[in-house]
Amino acid sequence: MTHVTFVELSVYENTVPLVSGYLQTYACQDPALTDSCDFAFFSRGLREDPETLLADLLARDSDVYAFSCYIWNMGLIRRLLGELLVRRPDAWFILGGAQVIDHADQYIPAGTRNVVVCNGEGEQPFYEFLHQVALRDKPDLNRVSGISYRGPDGELVTTDKPPRMQVLDDVPSPFAAGLFDNGEYTFTVLETNRGCPFHCGFCFWGAATNSKVYKFDEERVRGDIQWIAEHGIVSVFIADANWGLSPRDVELSRHIVQCKEEFGFPTSLVIAAAKNRPERVAEITEVLVRGGLVTSQPISLQTVNPEALRLIDRQNIRETTYTDLQRSLNSKNISSFIELIWPLPGDTLETFRAGVARLCRMEADTLTIYPQLLLHNTALYDQREIFGIETERAPDPAAEADVVVATRWVNRADCEEGTWFYYVVQSLYNARGAYWLARYLDRAGIQPYDAFFAEATRHWQASNDELSRFVANSVSTADNYDLLNIGKAAHLVLHSHREQFDRLLTGFARTQEWWSDPAARLALDLDLVARPYIYREPVRPPGVPLSEARLLETDDSALTIALPPRHERLPVDLGLLPEGTPVSTAVRFEHPGQGKMPVPRHRTMEQNAGYCHVMIQRLRTLLPLCRPLDSVGTKGSGGGRAA
């Protein structure tokens, strides 16, 4: 009997090993393999102790170890593979996944004959590989399609790839086959199709699948969704490249909601939204929001610079379409977040800043800005010399992430400046640190958004407080690769260092020429009391005195301020209160507690970073309700969320 262990080391603990399930169900359609092999899943979190993982893998005493390899776990896999090769020299090791495809020279150690790399979809090559190592005394790897291995002379041998699967249902559903029935899982990936019709230069999806999209049968997908719900899977990531591209995605979204209503699960859902079907994606988002599964719609723009879009072979939705979509989402009080990447080829520091400013003027809810990662098997990887791309390896030992730190258009200093810039945007715009102040200055023609954020960046860089040190360390070490750093920044600004942030912000404002403008000072006062709380905790007064407004009352959930008579209309003019709201002498800010996690007493910032990252992307659920008061203590008509 050949013992096969599938190894999936995931970002999230208790993850359903879906890829491993595909490989097993496809192979087990052959009775000869069913009779000669037994299979086991090794699905663990990649933050577990490496020595413990190694000991547990050795204890499996397997003949075949099959690793799923990605940028976030490749560093750990290299370490484990090196030890396993020494301690299990008689075992076979097969590596598959986006990180290793067509890069066998980097992952098969010199002198090893028992390591194989799969160069595409894994089901057919893995089936053929098992046929050789499990059913034959002398395996002939040259008869296995789509792999690389080292021959007797130590040179790499690469076999022809099989054609892409066009009938995906040739791979039986591992959910329906019962492979996961006895596992204790809380997170799963769900796949309803494979392929991407786009060729974005930074992305692996389109490059790997030659554009054509193939679908799993809809009834099969519905059955998988019901299994997920019946077995209490809490969170689901739909791995389709463009959820909403197909009309059936609307009905499948409704089916997920119906299953949640019947079984109570899943409770959260993450999608990669189709970029050229904004109306359909908005319909899906509304279905999922009303069903309590998502709280925010992603809008993937990556850049708004036409030259950068041309260089990465991407087209965004029309600006007018985006503007209409954003207004529609805002009117329905549905959160959204724009996804951008820095630095893409063609983008300069100036175009990047200007693009952020344009999106702020369009009233984007939040801007999620990812560092550019140079991924294997992408157009940018192939063109890295043409575009002058320079990288640094992220410090995460479990990962193998190369962060772009320079291109032909930005040197390293400019790249760092842009990274500082987006941390400041995260604090001042996304976290609402100076949201109303920045809007006032931009609309009044005093200081545009990009200049405002750039000035704040310079002040942050010159400061020596914990917030500034956190950003400086993240930038200097390429630790901005860790997407949860955005959650850490939100934790600092909206909770643990809230008062320190108030002092940093006010100190910056006092250095600016516009500080002599009383309306600007009042706008900052509005930010100090309207900035949301990311945890369920008592509301507290700002960490600095207000400059123009007067703090009247603070209780566990609200603050009330009196407005100076000459600027009583400012909250309405800025949009803090709805148009048509009567002028009032005071405003009450009622901060919600529902839907928030209690203040973490025994968990670190790092442990709560994931929660904070998600919460900042569903910002509208955090914003206070603003109510005008006709007089102190008397609620007036109208009111709205502080955005």
Side-chain angles (χ1 to χ4, degrees), residues 67-246:
F67 286 86
S68 293
C69 306
Y70 302 96
I71 145 184
W72 56 81
N73 66 11
M74 197 64 224
L76 178 58
I77 289 175
R78 277 188 187 272
R79 176 175 174 177
L80 295 173
L81 179 61
E83 292 290 338
L84 288 168
L85 283 169
V86 172
R87 303 194 196 189
R88 286 301 316 272
D90 55 334
W92 285 96
F93 303 91
I94 182 167
L95 313 179
Q99 189 68 2
V100 298
I101 289 174
D102 295 332
H103 285 76
D105 58 323
Q106 297 182 28
Y107 299 106
I108 302 180
T112 57
R113 300 282 309 280
N114 55 340
V115 178
V116 174
V117 164
C118 179
N119 291 316
E121 280 181 314
E123 288 88 357
Q124 182 65 25
F126 185 72
Y127 163 72
E128 296 173 11
F129 171 76
L130 281 186
H131 250 272
Q132 293 299 319
V133 302
L135 301 181
R136 286 168 172 75
D137 293 334
K138 295 183 178 181
D140 181 2
L141 296 183
N142 203 46
R143 298 175 64 87
V144 180
S145 61
I147 65 167
S148 296
Y149 61 95
R150 293 199 182 276
D153 58 359
E155 295 297 315
L156 279 176
V157 178
T158 297
T159 62
D160 293 337
K161 296 180 182 181
R164 276 188 64 205
M165 283 191 177
Q166 298 186 23
V167 181
L168 296 186
D169 293 302
D170 285 348
V171 182
S173 167
F175 295 105
L179 296 191
F180 310 133
D181 285 359
N182 297 319
E184 296 181 357
Y185 303 116
T186 57
F187 175 85
T188 190
V189 170
L190 174 67
E191 192 178 38
T192 80
N193 65 50
R194 291 181 183 177
C196 179
F198 308 112
H199 299 87
C200 303
F202 54 84
C203 183
F204 170 77
W205 254 321
T209 57
N210 299 317
S211 299
K212 183 68 176 176
V213 177
Y214 298 112
K215 300 177 182 178
F216 286 102
D217 176 74
E218 184 171 343
E219 288 308 308
R220 169 209 173 117
V221 174
R222 287 176 175 269
D224 289 350
I225 292 169
Q226 182 159 334
W227 185 97
I228 289 167
E230 288 180 342
H231 288 79
I233 305 299
V234 177
S235 301
V236 177
F237 171 62
I238 296 180
D240 299 6
N242 298 275
W243 187 249
L245 188 67
S246 170

Side-chain angles (χ1 to χ4, degrees), residues 321-433:
T321 302
Y322 162 70
T323 303
D324 291 343
L325 172 62
Q326 189 68 66
R327 287 173 179 165
S328 173
L329 293 169
N330 290 353
S331 69
K332 296 174 182 177
N333 202 34
I334 295 175
S335 297
S336 61
F337 58 96
I338 303 295
E339 294 180 304
L340 301 173
I341 296 175
W342 167 256
L344 286 170
D347 255 329
T348 65
L349 181 59
E350 291 70 27
T351 62
F352 173 61
R353 288 172 171 170
V356 168
R358 283 176 60 193
L359 293 169
C360 292
R361 290 187 193 105
M362 295 178 194
E363 301 185 14
D365 261 5
T366 61
L367 304 172
T368 298
I369 304 172
Y370 303 112
Q372 168 66 14
L373 303 179
L374 188 62
L375 304 180
H376 288 174
N377 304 298
T378 62
L380 289 190
Y381 186 88
D382 295 336
Q383 298 170 293
R384 58 193 184 279
E385 293 185 5
I386 296 173
F387 290 150
I389 292 175
E390 299 176 26
T391 64
E392 283 189 7
R393 180 62 52 88
D396 183 351
E400 196 174 75
D402 293 322
V403 182
V404 175
V405 296
T407 69
R408 273 177 45 202
W409 295 264
V410 292
N411 57 30
R412 287 180 176 242
D414 285 344
C415 185
E416 286 194 3
E417 192 72 12
T419 305
W420 265 98
F421 182 86
Y422 75 63
Y423 272 105
V424 169
V425 170
Q426 158 70 13
S427 301
L428 300 187
Y429 188 87
N430 292 352
R432 298 307 193 252

Side-chain angles (χ1 to χ4, degrees), residues 303-314:
T303 179
V304 293
N305 176 12
E307 175 63 7
L309 289 169
R310 183 186 69 80
L311 289 171
I312 63 173
D313 196 18
R314 179 182 174 90

